[in-house]
Amino acid sequence: MSPLADLPSSDVPWLVMGLMSGTSADGLDAVLVAVEPRGYKGGRPFLELLEHFHSPYPVDLRHAVLRAAGNQSSPGELCILQRRLGEHHARTARELADRSGKTPHMASLHGQTVQHRPEAGATLQLADPYLLVEALGCPVVWDLRRRDMALGGQGAPLVPLTELWLRGQAEPWIALNLGGIANATVWDGVEVRAWDLGPGMSLLDLAAQRWMGLPYDPEGGRATGRVHGEMLERWLANPYFHLPLPKSTGREVFGAEWLEGRISCLEALPVADRLVTLAAFSAEAVALGLRGLCPEGTPLMLSGGGAQHRRLRQELQERLPGLRLEDDADFPPGAREAVSWALLGAASALGVPGNLPEVTGASRPAVLGSWAFPG
């Protein structure tokens, strides 16, 4: 069945809902976007962000997600988690539709990543698309990453193509998303490169939970100590940082298991020093990847939860003095990746490839995702 059978003519704008839950596992961002179907030919399909709604995960659901990401869940628990995440997505989508007074023509569902193992050609995003179809009464595209993996790609990152659609190619720019995992899209004026740089907020959030009893350290307010350089040097020997592109990673590498393996040395330090050293680790992981890629003065546009972490920003600026740190002001915090997912979903409906083989390593461009339909 063609998705276009259930969608309006491409001669009129589409209302597309995008749903994104990132590696920070803090909740779900849902957006309603106006898309110009004919705009894909010229590389500018985005028209307008109409609505954005962030729905935090309940504490017990977030813990279940982190357990799954830490490889601590049984098959039965994963099965139930799929349903629970589907219910949360469906409730959030319905609330966004009701708040806006608009019914989307289609929805694009990312799902919650609980495992990402590109070395094995495998990835797992959980959230039941059929619950979303029932909640909205429109077609839903989901599971967008595995088609790229079937073609030998990493399945990530997929947002670089949408970054080009949204930002254009007139001048060099770097888009840095500081979610659970830090990822960057780099346009140097000639070619686009994109990959996962390493930990963004994943380790800092786990540290806040362990030593502060909070889900995260608001604005990095407790990260006021001293950086322990000898620890940084050891941590930066991680093989991931020395892999060639294309590459992607997740909490399987920079998550609870990583932190547990370094608890004894970290707990020998004051809490403020622990948090600052982890912030410096995230910053240096970013700097290792980005140094020398663009002309001096190129804007480094920050999005994701880490953009609010004062010490992480400071460490980034010190390590990348030639770049101009800026907040991503185009969209509300948390909305950009959901907008990207809406654009990728509409591309799928139109038969437009959603991956960049030069970024993911896939053998060719491909139309992404599977579809679920109402009725």
Side-chain angles (χ1 to χ4, degrees):
M1 183 175 183
S2 168
L4 289 174
D6 280 322
L7 291 171
S9 162
S10 59
D11 294 334
V12 300
W14 291 357
L15 298 182
V16 183
M17 188 175 289
L19 299 113
M20 168 60 70
S21 42
T23 50
S24 60
D26 60 349
L28 172 64
D29 284 286
V31 296
L32 192 62
V33 175
V35 174
E36 172 53 77
R38 295 171 298 183
Y40 284 94
K41 288 184 179 179
R44 300 310 290 262
F46 174 76
L47 289 176
E48 185 181 1
L49 172 61
L50 301 171
E51 297 284 345
H52 169 236
F53 177 50
H54 176 74
S55 177
Y57 287 156
V59 172
D60 61 335
L61 181 56
R62 184 168 194 262
H63 286 168
V65 168
L66 293 176
R67 278 181 52 81
N71 207 29
Q72 299 172 333
S73 298
S74 69
E77 289 170 329
L78 287 174
C79 181
I80 295 170
L81 182 58
Q82 168 93 323
R83 173 73 188 202
R84 293 183 64 197
L85 285 165
E87 290 171 345
H88 187 90
H89 280 66
R91 283 194 301 270
T92 301
R94 187 65 258 166
E95 182 170 350
L96 179 61
D98 291 344
R99 285 160 56 116
S100 69
K102 300 178 178 71
T103 300
H105 296 124
M106 60 164 288
S108 181
L109 169 65
H110 180 274
Q112 177 65 58
T113 299
V114 295
Q115 292 286 308
H116 183 67
R117 299 185 178 272
E119 73 284 354
T123 192
L124 181 62
Q125 286 76 41
L126 298 182
D128 190 331
Y130 302 103
L131 294 175
L132 192 57
V133 169
E134 294 301 321
L136 293 175
C138 68
V140 172
V141 63
W142 61 291
D143 196 21
L144 274 71
R145 296 191 184 277
R146 286 195 296 161
R147 182 67 179 276
D148 182 84
M149 286 187 141
L151 294 167
Q154 298 270 316
L158 294 182
V159 297
L161 184 55
T162 67
E163 291 287 1
L164 290 173
W165 292 336
L166 290 166
R167 299 184 190 274
Q169 303 177 30
E171 301 289 342
W173 47 261
I174 301 174
L176 175 61
N177 177 44
L178 292 168
I181 298 297
N183 62 77
T185 301
V186 179
W187 171 249
D188 63 6
V190 178
E191 64 175 330
V192 63
R193 283 168 283 187
W195 69 104
D196 289 340
L197 295 152
M201 294 301 294
S202 59
L203 302 176
L204 282 161
D205 288 350
L206 288 169
Q209 294 158 35
R210 186 180 188 103
W211 294 310
M212 297 170 56
L214 297 172
Y216 63 95
D217 179 12
E219 297 184 347
R222 292 285 300 276
T224 57
R226 177 174 71 88
V227 175
H228 289 256
E230 69 283 1
M231 286 188 184
L232 278 190
E233 189 174 343
R234 291 199 303 271
W235 299 346
L236 291 166
N238 188 296
Y240 180 76
F241 299 122
H242 308 286
L243 291 174
L245 302 183
K247 62 180 180 179
S248 58
T249 190
R251 286 181 175 270
E252 302 77 26
V253 178
F254 299 110
E257 187 175 343
W258 186 98
L259 191 65
E260 286 296 329
R262 289 148 187 86
I263 285 297
S264 59
C265 65
L266 280 166
E267 290 191 336
L269 309 177
V271 171
D273 286 14
R274 300 173 205 172
L275 296 172
V276 164
T277 303
L278 289 169
F281 179 43
S282 291
E284 185 58 30
V286 169
L288 274 175
L290 297 184
R291 284 190 187 102
L293 292 187
C294 284
E296 188 165 333
T298 295
L300 175 61
M301 293 173 282
L302 305 182
S303 61
Q308 310 304 315
H309 194 287
R310 294 192 299 266
R311 187 56 182 262
L312 178 52
R313 293 177 69 107
Q314 177 186 329
E315 296 289 335
L316 278 171
Q317 187 65 84
E318 290 176 359
R319 288 166 166 78
L320 295 167
L323 300 179
R324 192 172 75 247
L325 263 67
E326 298 179 1
D327 288 312
D328 180 1
D330 292 339
F331 298 109
R336 177 172 282 275
E337 282 194 292
V339 170
S340 291
W341 224 252
L343 294 175
L344 287 173
S348 177
L350 291 161
V352 174
N355 62 334
L356 289 174
E358 63 269 31
V359 167
T360 66
S363 59
R364 62 175 174 83
V367 178
L368 306 178
S370 298
W371 286 85
F373 300 97

